[in-house]
Amino acid sequence: MKRFTGDLQSCNYEVSESGQGGITLHVQGKMDASNAATMIETFSDLVKDRQPRSLTVDLQKVSYLDDFGALVLVETRKMMSNGKNHFCLQNVNDEASKVLSILHFESLEKGDPFRKKRPPAMLIRLGEATIHHASDLKFLLSFLGSVCLSLLHVCLHPKSLRRDDTFLCMQKTGVDALPIVGLISFLLGLIMAFMSSVQLRQFGADIYVASLVSLSMTRELGPIMTAIIVAGRSGSAFAAEIGTMKISEEIDALFTMGFDPTRFLVIPKIIASIIVVPLLTLFSDVFAIIGGLVVGILTLDLTANAYITQTIKTLTLFDVFLGVFKSGVFALLIAWIGCLRGFQVKGGASSVGQATTSAVVSSIFLIILFNSVFSVILRYWE
Amino acid sequence: MARQAVIQVRDLVARYGEDIIFDRVSFDVYEGEIFVVLGGSGCGKSTLLKHLVGLISPDSGQVIIGGDDISRCDDATFQNVLKKIGVLYQGAALFGSMTLSENVALPIIEYTDLPQRSVATLVRMKLGLVDLDGYENHLPSEISGGMKKRAGLARAMALNPKILFFDEPSAGLDPVTSAELDNLIVHLNRSFGTTIVIVTHELQSIFAVAHRVIMLDKHARGIIAEGDPEYLRDHSQNPFVRQFFNRQTKKNRDGTEEK
C-alpha cells in the first residue's frame, strides 16, 4: 500500500492489487483544479512503473469532482489505452456521474485543439498571395478613384465640405505639430551647420555654411523631415481612427445614413493636410536657418547680418516654392495612405495596430520615392 | 440550513463626479444561488457589477468576496479573489488575435501546471460544455454573437471559479439562443454549484433562471425590491416593481395610472 500526499491538502490515494496484473486506485478527497496537475503526473508515473494489465479507479471516497478531476481520469485512461489495456471506473456517485456525463466523459476521444492548419503547398500559397495582392491593388485603385471623385465633388460644391472637421484636423495635424517640427528642425540646422563648418573652415569658406544650411533645408530636408514627422504623428492617427471606426461599425452607420464615408472622413483630412504641411515646412526651414545662425555666430565669428545676407543671396523663390510644392504632395500621400490603411482594417484590435504601422511605413516609403522622382525630373528640367 | 454569504455588499456608494449613482446599497449573495440584479436603463446595474468585480473602487462602503474586502485588501489577496471569480462581458471580450481554444487555454496555462497535452483535452471539455466542439481553431471574428457569448463563458469558467458574473447575457441574442444560454446557466449552477450573479433586464431570462433578485431604481438610488421574481411580480407593494415585471408602460411615480 502506498499513500499519495504531496503538498496538496485535499486528496490522497491507495493502490491495491487485484490479481492478473490489475491494480485498483482508491482515490479519496477532492479532485479539482488545485491538484489536477500533480495527480496526472503521479498517476502517469504509477502506470509507467507498474505497467498494469488493467486499472480500476474507485471514486467511492471522492467528495468533489469537477472537470479538472475528469481531466485526470481522461488522461489516465489515455495512458492505459496507449498500451491497449483495460480501464474502468467504479463506485461513481451521483454527483460525479452527472459531471462526467455533461462532459461526455465516455466519448471524449483524443485530439489536440492546438493543431495548426497545415500550411498549403507552395504553388497554392503563391497563388493566394497573388490574388491577395491583386485585390489589395484593386482596393487601392478604387479608393484612389473615390478620393478623386469626392475631391472633385467638394471643389464643385464647396459647401459640402465638413468645415469644422477640417479646421479641427488642421489644428491636430498642423498647430499641434509645430513645437516638435520647430525643435527638430532647429537641431537639424544646428547639426548641419556644425558639421559643415568643420570642413568649410579649412578653406576659409565659413560664410558658405549659411548657403549649405538654407539650400539643403528648403529644397530637400525641410519637406522630408516635416513629412516624416507628420506621417508619424498624423498618418498613424488617421489609420487608427478610421480603423477603429471600421471595426465598431461606425463606417457602416455612415454608409447607411447616406453619407459617403470618403467624403465624410477622408476629404477633410486630405484638405487639412495639404494646407498645413506646406506651412509646417516653411516653419521648419526658418527654424533650421535659425539653428545654423546660432552656430554661425557662436563658433564661426560670423555676424548675424552677414549670415542672413548670404542666406538671402543663396535662396531663390523657386527653391522655396519647390520645397512647398513637394511638401504639398507629401501631405496628400500621407493623408491618402493613412486613410486607406484605416479602411483596410478587418477583424479586431491587432488589425488596427497593423494598419497604423503600415500607414507610417508606407507613407515614409512613398515620401522618399516621390522625392527621388522629383530630383530626377528637376535634374533634366533645370 | 444556514446559507453562507459569498458576496457581501455593505453601504456601497458609487458616484461619477457629482452624480450619485446609488447610495448606501447593501445586500448578500449566498453560495450556490442564481442572483439577478435588475432595473431600468441607467439605474447603475453595470456600475454595480464593475464594483463587484473590482474594476471600480467604491466611493465608500465595502464589497466582501469570500471574506476579503476587495476595495481595501492588498494586491496579492485581490489576485486570489480574482481567481475565484469569472466574468462574462456583454460583448464576450474574446481576444481577437487568438483562436477560441487559445482564449480558453490562456488562464489555464498561466495559472495551473497542467502539461500542454492535458490543457488541450481540458479546453476541448470546456468548449464541449458550451456546445462549441469543433470550433477550437476558429477566430472570434469567424463565429456568431451567440457562439462568442458561449466561448466567453467557456473562458470565464476556465479555472472553475466559485462565482460567475454575467453582464447582460441575453443582449443581442435571438430568443432561442438566449433561452439556450439561460439553460446553460442553470445547468452550470446545478452541476458545479457555481454561484451566479447576473445583471440583466430581460424578463424572460429572469423568470427562467433567477432564485432571487434585487431591483435597483434610478430615482431611489438604491434597491427598491428584493426577493423571488414571481412573488414580486404579483405581490410587490411598490407599483413600479409590479409594472416592471408585468412590462407595463410608465405610471406616475405615486402609483396612479396615467391612462
Side-chain angles (χ1 to χ4, degrees):
Chain A
M1 290 290 195
K2 184 179 155 196
R3 285 185 91 77
F4 161 64
T5 44
D7 54 349
L8 297 158
Q9 15 21 19
S10 50
C11 188
N12 50 43
Y13 74 91
E14 290 173 8
V15 184
S16 64
E17 313 255 345
S18 55
Q20 297 172 342
I23 57 173
T24 308
L25 268 170
H26 305 274
V27 187
Q28 194 175 4
K30 281 181 159 184
M31 296 179 76
D32 62 9
S34 64
N35 52 19
T38 332
M39 265 202 260
I40 290 175
E41 206 175 308
T42 322
F43 289 175
S44 98
D45 288 351
L46 187 84
V47 170
K48 262 183 222 149
D49 280 358
R50 301 255 187 141
Q51 302 283 352
R53 201 74 77 61
S54 75
L55 178 70
T56 309
V57 181
D58 180 355
L59 300 177
Q60 190 172 23
K61 289 176 181 162
V62 169
S63 58
Y64 177 83
L65 180 130
D66 63 9
D67 43 5
F68 282 83
L71 177 70
V72 174
L73 300 177
V74 170
E75 292 293 314
T76 317
R77 182 176 65 183
K78 225 186 260 177
M79 280 175 261
M80 287 304 289
S81 53
N82 279 349
K84 306 276 175 290
N85 290 321
H86 190 64
F87 174 90
C88 70
L89 297 175
Q90 97 187 20
N91 295 327
V92 186
N93 63 21
D94 281 354
E95 281 179 23
S97 70
K98 206 157 65 178
V99 170
L100 292 180
S101 80
I102 60 171
L103 293 170
H104 310 294
F105 178 73
E106 293 304 326
S107 59
L108 263 178
E109 22 52 295
K110 290 166 235 168
D112 182 3
F114 298 118
R115 67 174 168 257
K116 298 277 180 234
K117 282 173 199 157
R118 260 184 58 202
M122 205 179 86
L123 210 59
I124 299 176
R125 271 185 294 164
L126 183 71
E128 275 176 353
T130 312
I131 292 170
H132 180 74
H133 283 291
S135 73
D136 240 26
L137 192 71
K138 194 178 142 201
F139 185 79
L140 192 143
L141 284 177
S142 75
F143 185 69
L144 186 65
S146 123
V147 168
C148 290
L149 276 180
S150 304
L151 268 179
L152 191 72
H153 185 272
V154 169
C155 289
L156 295 178
H157 312 273
K159 277 201 177 148
S160 68
L161 177 68
R162 293 182 52 82
R163 211 156 296 175
D164 290 350
D165 280 1
T166 315
F167 284 132
L168 186 69
C169 187
M170 280 165 73
Q171 189 205 331
K172 283 188 193 158
T173 312
V175 181
D176 294 353
L178 193 54
I180 187 69
V181 168
L183 180 67
I184 288 180
S185 306
F186 176 78
L187 292 175
L188 204 64
L190 209 80
I191 296 163
M192 273 201 299
F194 196 72
M195 298 306 288
S196 57
S197 71
V198 177
Q199 304 298 322
L200 291 172
R201 201 157 209 192
Q202 296 174 11
F203 308 102
D206 293 4
I207 191 68
Y208 288 108
V209 169
S211 307
L212 189 137
V213 171
S214 56
L215 197 64
S216 57
M217 264 331 265
T218 40
R219 281 186 72 126
E220 295 292 331
L221 285 175
I224 288 189
M225 283 312 292
T226 312
I228 288 177
I229 294 169
V230 171
R233 278 187 86 256
S234 304
S236 56
F238 296 161
E241 184 188 332
I242 294 180
T244 312
M245 288 181 80
K246 180 108 191 272
I247 56 175
S248 55
E249 297 184 325
E250 288 177 45
I251 303 277
D252 299 350
L254 280 177
F255 185 78
T256 48
M257 284 159 83
F259 297 112
D260 176 5
T262 316
R263 201 183 308 154
F264 199 93
L265 294 170
V266 181
I267 299 303
K269 292 182 171 58
I270 287 185
I271 290 182
S273 307
I274 290 180
I275 294 171
V276 293
V277 175
L279 290 176
L280 277 178
T281 305
L282 285 177
F283 275 106
S284 152
D285 296 346
V286 171
F287 277 104
I289 289 168
I290 294 173
L293 180 67
V294 170
V295 172
I297 293 173
L298 292 183
T299 68
L300 292 174
D301 309 324
L302 292 173
T303 61
N305 198 4
Y307 189 96
I308 293 170
T309 316
Q310 179 65 23
T311 301
I312 293 171
K313 219 160 79 184
T314 314
L315 286 182
T316 62
L317 201 56
F318 177 77
D319 295 326
V320 179
F321 274 140
L322 176 68
V324 168
F325 173 73
K326 282 208 287 197
S327 68
V329 175
F330 297 159
L332 179 67
L333 291 173
I334 294 165
W336 174 67
I337 205 85
C339 296
L340 171 76
R341 294 300 184 221
F343 278 109
Q344 281 173 334
V345 164
K346 268 190 207 108
S350 63
S351 173
V352 176
Q354 276 170 14
T356 314
T357 308
S358 160
V360 176
V361 174
S362 323
S363 30
I364 291 178
F365 168 72
L366 285 179
I367 289 163
I368 306 291
L369 181 75
F370 272 70
N371 196 49
S372 322
V373 172
F374 283 130
S375 304
V376 173
I377 293 174
L378 284 170
R379 166 74 182 74
Y380 290 102
W381 186 26
E382 277 181 316
Chain B
M1 186 180 86
R3 290 188 298 172
Q4 206 185 343
V6 283
I7 305 176
Q8 293 163 286
V9 176
R10 292 286 171 267
D11 294 327
L12 188 67
V13 180
R15 64 176 92 207
Y16 286 123
E18 293 289 293
D19 297 338
I20 295 183
I21 310 295
F22 43 80
D23 196 13
R24 292 201 300 280
V25 165
S26 302
F27 60 88
D28 287 340
V29 179
Y30 299 106
E31 191 169 1
E33 76 173 341
I34 302 183
F35 182 83
V36 175
V37 179
L38 56 93
S41 303
C43 68
K45 298 188 298 280
S46 298
T47 312
L48 178 62
L49 185 77
K50 283 184 180 163
H51 280 90
L52 291 182
V53 299
L55 283 171
I56 308 180
S57 350
D59 211 59
S60 73
Q62 296 171 298
V63 177
I64 302 165
I65 294 183
D68 296 309
D69 180 354
I70 60 167
S71 50
R72 276 169 200 82
C73 65
D74 57 82
D75 225 33
T77 320
F78 184 60
Q79 288 300 323
N80 268 327
V81 172
L82 286 184
K83 278 182 211 167
K84 282 188 243 167
I85 66 173
V87 187
L88 172 61
Y89 290 92
Q90 213 176 99
L94 295 168
F95 303 119
S97 54
M98 301 180 179
T99 62
L100 295 196
S101 51
E102 285 167 337
N103 261 292
V104 178
L106 183 68
I108 301 176
I109 292 171
E110 290 298 316
Y111 293 120
T112 69
D113 302 322
L114 289 177
Q116 177 85 40
R117 201 167 41 95
S118 313
V119 172
T121 316
L122 186 61
V123 167
R124 283 174 60 83
M125 288 203 285
K126 299 274 181 195
L127 285 173
L129 207 56
V130 295
D131 276 331
L132 281 175
D133 358 30
Y135 290 94
E136 286 89 354
N137 294 313
H138 282 61
L139 287 170
S141 53
E142 295 166 345
I143 58 174
S144 73
M147 290 158 88
K148 272 187 212 170
K149 283 259 162 104
R150 282 184 275 149
L153 180 56
R155 190 182 66 182
M157 299 189 316
L159 296 172
N160 287 337
K162 297 265 179 297
I163 311 168
L164 269 175
F165 293 91
F166 290 78
D167 190 5
E168 305 266 358
S170 2
L173 298 185
D174 66 83
V176 177
T177 319
S178 163
E180 281 169 3
L181 195 65
D182 290 343
N183 284 341
L184 192 58
I185 292 172
V186 174
H187 201 59
L188 289 174
N189 174 260
R190 287 206 191 126
S191 320
F192 295 104
T194 315
T195 308
I196 290 175
V197 178
I198 305 175
V199 164
T200 186
H201 50 221
E202 200 68 31
L203 281 172
Q204 281 174 328
S205 299
I206 296 168
F207 290 123
V209 303
H211 296 157
R212 204 158 61 87
V213 304
I214 57 168
M215 183 163 173
L216 297 175
D217 182 57
K218 191 158 49 169
H219 302 280
R221 290 189 185 137
I223 301 173
I224 53 169
E226 176 173 353
D228 177 75
E230 271 149 29
Y231 180 83
L232 289 178
R233 177 186 60 192
D234 302 330
H235 304 289
S236 173
Q237 300 298 315
N238 188 330
F240 180 65
V241 175
R242 286 203 309 274
Q243 206 174 292
F244 184 94
F245 280 111
N246 291 308
R247 235 184 144 173
Q248 290 162 341
T249 48
K250 260 219 167 87
K251 293 172 192 172
N252 293 328
R253 295 215 58 76
D254 54 12
T256 54
E257 305 252 352
E258 246 168 33
K259 321 175 220 179

